[in-house]
Amino acid sequence: MSQVVIDLNADLGEGFGRWRLTDDEQLLSVVTSANVACGFHAGDASTMRKVCELAAERGVRIGAQVSYRDLAGFGRRAMDVPADELSAEVAYQIGALEVFARAAGTRVAYVKPHGALYNRVVRDEEQARAVVDGVLLAGVDLPLLGLPGSRLLDVAGKAGLPTVTEAFADRAYTDEGTLVPRARAGAVITESDEVVTRSLDLARSGSVASVTGRRVDVGARSLCLHGDTPGAVALAREVRARLEADGVDVRAFV
């Protein structure tokens, strides 16, 4: 039986100016891939530079976490952005992060949408195509990280871009395999034992229980741990320790 391999990713660099949300330095000692905010939902030049430097020092892969231009709403508000405008903004965010990644001696290794954009491109083919066009506009053949079965991954694959599926140990799932909206009670799972158990289940079986108890197949190569939840660092450490103790090979997908 072949060894199970899983990547651990987290959203990092989600601060702005004097405001800080995530413990980037500590999380970068646990995760293998860092989704770095590129200034549209969070993040600024100094933050991006620092996260890239820390990630490069630790051998953590850097991903551009692209978003709608929604700093006030943390990228979680629904927006209608014209496709040509969205593709330009996606390319802009990738380019900004690439400058700091290169300065740190590494490169942007993948792209992951954030928040409302992430959920929108699960079903909206036009917005999914705009994100893919933005990656192509940036002049890079970067892998796209997203939800299994999403329009984003389908469009990306047809455009010749690599795709990587991910799952969320700390988010509730619908029976259709999509994420339960954050506005609903129980959408975010904060009980550490449950998150750890779900992480092991996702890594081993490739499936997770939905809110109704139905098994949902996700087959993810990467597991997301949110850095903005209470006790995020301790929880991330516990998840990684339990995965490795269970014989799971924790390493980046790129």
Side-chain angles (χ1 to χ4, degrees):
M1 184 176 180
S2 60
Q3 185 176 26
V4 175
V5 181
I6 198 78
D7 168 66
L8 292 181
N9 77 76
D11 302 344
L12 302 179
E14 292 185 324
F16 188 82
R18 296 178 62 186
W19 177 64
R20 292 290 178 268
L21 179 63
T22 51
D23 190 341
D24 298 332
E25 187 164 3
Q26 294 301 315
L27 284 167
L28 282 167
S29 67
V30 181
V31 300
T32 48
S33 297
N35 317 315
V36 183
C38 300
F40 272 41
H41 76 281
D44 54 29
S46 296
T47 303
M48 284 190 281
R49 180 180 182 180
K50 182 63 174 177
V51 174
C52 285
E53 289 173 346
L54 290 170
E57 289 174 5
R58 292 162 171 75
V60 175
R61 300 297 185 269
I62 295 170
Q65 187 161 46
V66 298
S67 170
Y68 287 128
R69 187 187 290 272
D70 181 28
L71 195 59
F74 198 60
R76 288 180 175 162
R77 296 184 293 189
M79 304 183 77
D80 290 314
V81 180
D84 59 345
E85 183 178 334
L86 179 58
S87 62
E89 292 187 339
V90 166
Y92 180 92
Q93 292 175 78
I94 295 169
L97 187 63
E98 177 70 3
V99 168
F100 299 115
R102 286 191 181 187
T106 185
R107 301 289 298 272
V108 172
Y110 64 95
V111 176
K112 176 185 173 179
H114 166 82
L117 181 58
Y118 185 97
N119 291 314
R120 180 74 171 268
V121 296
V122 170
R123 294 191 175 93
D124 190 321
E125 183 158 349
E126 182 184 48
Q127 294 281 280
R129 192 172 303 281
V131 171
V132 171
D133 287 346
V135 176
L136 297 173
L137 182 60
V140 286
D141 296 330
L142 294 175
L144 273 156
L145 184 61
L147 206 65
S150 68
R151 300 307 302 154
L152 176 68
L153 299 191
D154 181 58
V155 172
K158 290 177 180 176
L161 295 177
T163 61
V164 181
T165 54
E166 76 167 335
F168 297 79
D170 57 1
R171 290 294 307 277
Y173 279 81
T174 67
D175 288 348
E176 292 73 38
T178 58
L179 300 178
V180 173
R182 282 180 174 268
R184 284 178 52 183
V188 179
I189 299 164
T190 57
E191 175 57 47
S192 60
D193 288 344
E194 185 175 358
V195 174
V196 171
T197 299
R198 287 166 68 89
S199 298
L200 290 168
D201 200 13
L202 284 162
R204 282 292 181 192
S205 71
S207 66
V208 67
S210 73
V211 287
T212 67
R214 180 180 298 178
R215 298 302 301 181
V216 177
D217 292 327
V218 294
R221 172 64 181 84
S222 185
L223 188 62
C224 181
L225 300 171
H226 283 100
D228 61 345
T229 53
V233 173
L235 181 56
R237 285 176 175 155
E238 186 176 359
V239 167
R240 177 156 186 169
R242 289 288 297 278
L243 286 170
E244 292 179 332
D246 201 52
V248 176
D249 182 5
V250 179
R251 56 184 162 94
F253 59 83
V254 288

